[in-house]
Structure formats: C-alpha cells, structure tokens
Amino acid sequence: MKALHVICVIVLTLLTTRLFAQQLPVINILDSGHKTSLRGLSVVNNDIVWASGSNGTVARSTDGGKTFTWLTVAGYEKRDFRDVEAFDENTALIMAVDEPGIILKTVDGGKNWQTVFVDSTKGMFMDAMNFAGKTGIVVGDPLQGFAFLAYTKDGGNTWHKLEGKANKVKVDKDEAFFASSGTNVKIVTNGDISTNQVWMVSGGSKARLIKDDTMFGMPMLQGANSQGANSIDVMGNKAVVVGGDFAHDTVTNGNCVLFDISENNIVFTKPQTPPHGYRSCVVFVDRKHLVTCGTSGVDISVDGGNNWLLVTKQSFHVCQKAKRGDAVYLAGGGGRIARLK
Ligand SMILES: *[C@@H]1O[C@H](CO)[C@@H](O)[C@H](O)[C@H]1NC(C)=O
C-alpha cells in the first residue's frame, strides 16, 4: 500500500509539472482602435517594434510596447503598407502593395520618408520583403508569368530588379504570392552571407515552395485564389510553412507543412495536430517553440511544430520574434498590437 501511495504521489507530481510546463502563454493587447489593418511587423529587439498597415499608417514603440507613436505617412494616406523592415529605432523601410509599387525609407524614426524604390509597371503588386543584414529581397505578384523580384545590398537604399535571364521563378497560371503578413519569403544565410538561399512560398492555383529557382509542390490547400501558402520561417535546418484558405478560415486541412531545408529531396510532413484554421504568419521562437496566427486565432507549438495548441480565437495577421531578443509581438485589424507573455 505504501509503495502504491508513493507511486501515486510521484505520478501526480509529474502530471502537475507537465500541466504547468504546458501553461498557455497570455496575449497582452498593447494598443488598439486605430483605423488601420496592420500586416507589417518588424521587431528589432525586445523593446523596439515597428508595425505598418493600411491608411498609410506606421506605429513604433521603443519601450517594449508600453507606448506607441502612430503616424500617417504624408502623401501616402491611402496606401497600404503591407510590410515593414526595421533596422533600429530610427531606421526602417515600408513597402506598399498595389500600383505603383513603392518602398520608402526613414532614418529619423518616421518623421521623414524617402522614396527608395518606385515602379509604375501595370500589374505591380508587391507582397513581402525579407532581409539578412543589409541584403534584402522584395517579392511581388507575377508579371508576364515570372515572379516580381528585386534585391538590395545596402539596406534598401538602392534596389535592382531581377529581369530577363536573371529571373528564373516562372509561375503557373493563377499562381501568385500572398501579401498577408510580409513573410512569404525568407533569406537563409546559414551564417555565411555568400551562400544565401532564398526560400519563397506561393498560393492560388498552386501552393509551392520555391528555393532560388527550383519549385516543389506542397501538400497544402490550393486551387482557388484564397488558398495556398502564406508564410515561411526557417530555424537551423527546420522549416515551417502555414496558409490554408482565408475565405474559410477555420478549415485546418492543408494549412501547415514542415520540412528540412538541408535535404536534397525535400519531404514535406504534416503536423499531427495542425493549427486551428487558416494562418497568415508563422515564426520560430527557438527550435521547439513556434507561434502562428491568422484571422481565426493564434496557436503555439512546443514540439517543433508537430502539435499546435489554440491560444486565442482573436484575429491577428502577423507575428514576429525580436531579431535580437526573445519577445514575440503580434499585430492585426483595428490597429491591434499585442505581445505574447
Ligand atoms: C481607413 O480610414 C477610413 C477613414 O477614416 C476608415 O473609414 C477605414 O475604416 C480605415 N480603414 C481601416 C482598415 O481601418
């Protein structure tokens, strides 16, 4: 009997420890109510965070989200800044979707903005930027069957379009890129900037993974213009892609795949418990912990993306981890900005 008692206590202790270890994080709303849908988010460190969105809006905090400075970029009140890349508390780039394609840069915390890229080509629709140091890429919807691609090597001061033979990303009819969170492209350096790889994900008629110029079909929802892959993140060799169907945002079928970027023949695996609906953004916090969000809620994983736990049904478009730090922020409709605790 005594032995049984001891075993019971041990089992109970183990169970409680496990329960506590799995305690859900809390989503602290830091600000909301501004007339903007935020889809751009860039977290420099635990304290410095920039967000961008529709109605020409940019928000910035330098105190870990306690206070935000909101601004409307003069002359761009009607533009939708779907992505932002911040380098420090003063320096950031913002990218507007639709025509003309525009990227603006500030070096004074958002007081003044310079046009560093403009393209009036008919059909221009830029979706996302990604940076590794000063090297960056911007991806846009296809023009004449090829993804729109431009790169910078000087932190966004000058941009060079990949055209003609330099652009090998040929897409299918009605295959394009989502501009839902500015995260469908990822530069992977593996520590050495000279061996940069560019990974992208597409949606629409096809949901494909694109590595430089090689395309891999993914086992994700695809075939309609609301379906496909929205976001990719990579940590070490591990990669995760999320998406689904934004028109049916509680469908969990085909909304997430995992793979290893070091394999020659990429094998996609589906999570055992997928995120709880369409997700527009995913981010690794570390190799085990991930966060994903979308219009139907936020999920976390504590096992490298194999099982996802719903944290809230509240809508967020984008989540990002501090580039230098561990803070995770989220942003979405109604000017909502939050921090994961
Ligand atoms: C943009 O501003 C207009 C005018 O204030 C407002 O009606 C609209 O809802 C705003 N858009 C968003 C997404 O909040």
Side-chain angles (χ1 to χ4, degrees):
M1 271 315 242
K2 225 183 179 137
L4 188 64
H5 185 87
V6 170
I7 287 170
C8 278
V9 169
I10 291 172
V11 167
L12 268 175
T13 313
L14 282 176
L15 273 175
T16 345
T17 325
R18 225 182 124 71
L19 278 177
F20 275 106
Q22 291 208 336
Q23 204 169 47
L24 282 179
V26 174
I27 288 172
N28 271 348
I29 305 285
L30 304 168
D31 205 331
S32 71
H34 285 261
K35 286 186 173 162
T36 179
S37 170
L38 300 171
R39 290 185 184 273
L41 187 64
S42 187
V43 186
V44 176
N45 57 34
N46 291 349
D47 292 329
I48 300 171
V49 49
W50 293 68
S52 68
S54 60
N55 280 350
T57 304
V58 175
R60 181 184 73 125
S61 176
T62 56
D63 58 8
K66 284 191 205 82
T67 57
F68 279 88
T69 310
W70 291 81
L71 62 98
T72 305
V73 184
Y76 297 90
E77 295 81 359
K78 300 231 163 98
R79 298 304 302 267
D80 188 348
F81 294 111
R82 290 281 179 95
D83 201 6
V84 57
E85 179 77 24
F87 299 94
D88 56 44
E89 62 180 303
N90 293 315
T91 316
L93 297 164
I94 47 175
M95 178 213 80
V97 278
D98 223 328
E99 298 173 24
I102 282 173
I103 300 173
L104 306 176
K105 182 168 186 172
T106 183
V107 291
D108 59 9
K111 286 187 203 80
N112 296 286
W113 295 88
Q114 282 82 43
T115 306
V116 289
F117 178 82
V118 60
D119 191 321
S120 307
T121 306
K122 202 168 160 25
M124 270 300 290
F125 195 96
M126 295 196 290
D127 299 291
M129 299 183 286
N130 187 248
F131 276 77
K134 290 192 164 202
T135 300
I137 188 161
V138 59
V139 175
D141 280 350
L143 297 165
Q144 271 111 45
F146 289 87
F148 171 83
L149 297 167
Y151 70 92
T152 175
K153 291 197 163 176
D154 58 9
N157 295 333
T158 54
W159 291 85
H160 314 275
K161 286 199 264 181
L162 284 173
E163 291 176 301
K165 279 186 183 152
N167 185 339
K168 299 192 179 74
V169 182
K170 190 174 181 355
V171 297
D172 271 19
K173 189 178 181 300
D174 298 326
E175 179 181 16
F177 303 97
F178 284 106
S180 54
S181 62
T183 60
N184 60 13
V185 57
K186 182 86 185 173
I187 299 175
V188 176
T189 61
N190 285 325
D192 180 0
I193 206 100
S194 65
T195 59
N196 277 351
Q197 297 172 356
V198 177
W199 296 81
M200 293 161 42
V201 291
S202 70
S205 62
K206 293 259 172 72
R208 292 199 281 186
L209 172 72
I210 302 156
K211 180 201 172 188
D212 300 319
D213 50 19
T214 313
M215 323 272 283
F216 305 87
M218 290 187 288
M220 293 188 77
L221 270 186
Q222 55 201 284
N225 63 12
S226 58
Q227 298 177 345
N230 280 236
S231 178
I232 178 169
D233 199 19
V234 179
M235 181 158 288
N237 291 338
K238 291 185 165 200
V240 57
V241 174
V242 298
D245 187 345
F246 71 72
H248 302 96
D249 70 0
T250 55
V251 172
T252 62
N253 177 27
N255 67 351
C256 181
V257 294
L258 305 159
F259 60 94
D260 184 330
I261 63 164
S262 66
E263 286 169 355
N264 282 330
N265 294 313
I266 288 181
V267 179
F268 297 101
T269 59
K270 291 187 179 188
Q272 207 172 354
T273 318
H276 293 76
Y278 156 78
R279 295 293 179 257
S280 49
C281 190
V282 66
V283 64
F284 276 98
V285 181
D286 55 41
R287 276 167 189 266
K288 282 197 164 161
H289 296 82
L290 295 90
V291 182
T292 186
C293 67
T295 50
S296 57
V298 179
D299 297 86
I300 60 147
S301 170
V302 297
D303 64 359
N306 197 32
N307 291 284
W308 295 87
L309 229 55
L310 187 67
V311 179
T312 177
K313 288 187 177 172
Q314 190 163 28
S315 162
F316 287 96
H317 296 311
V318 57
C319 47
Q320 287 290 282
K321 176 192 163 286
K323 294 186 212 176
R324 296 184 291 279
D326 54 11
V328 174
Y329 289 84
L330 303 107
R336 197 158 46 246
I337 307 179
R339 185 171 172 172
L340 204 71
K341 278 268 153 75

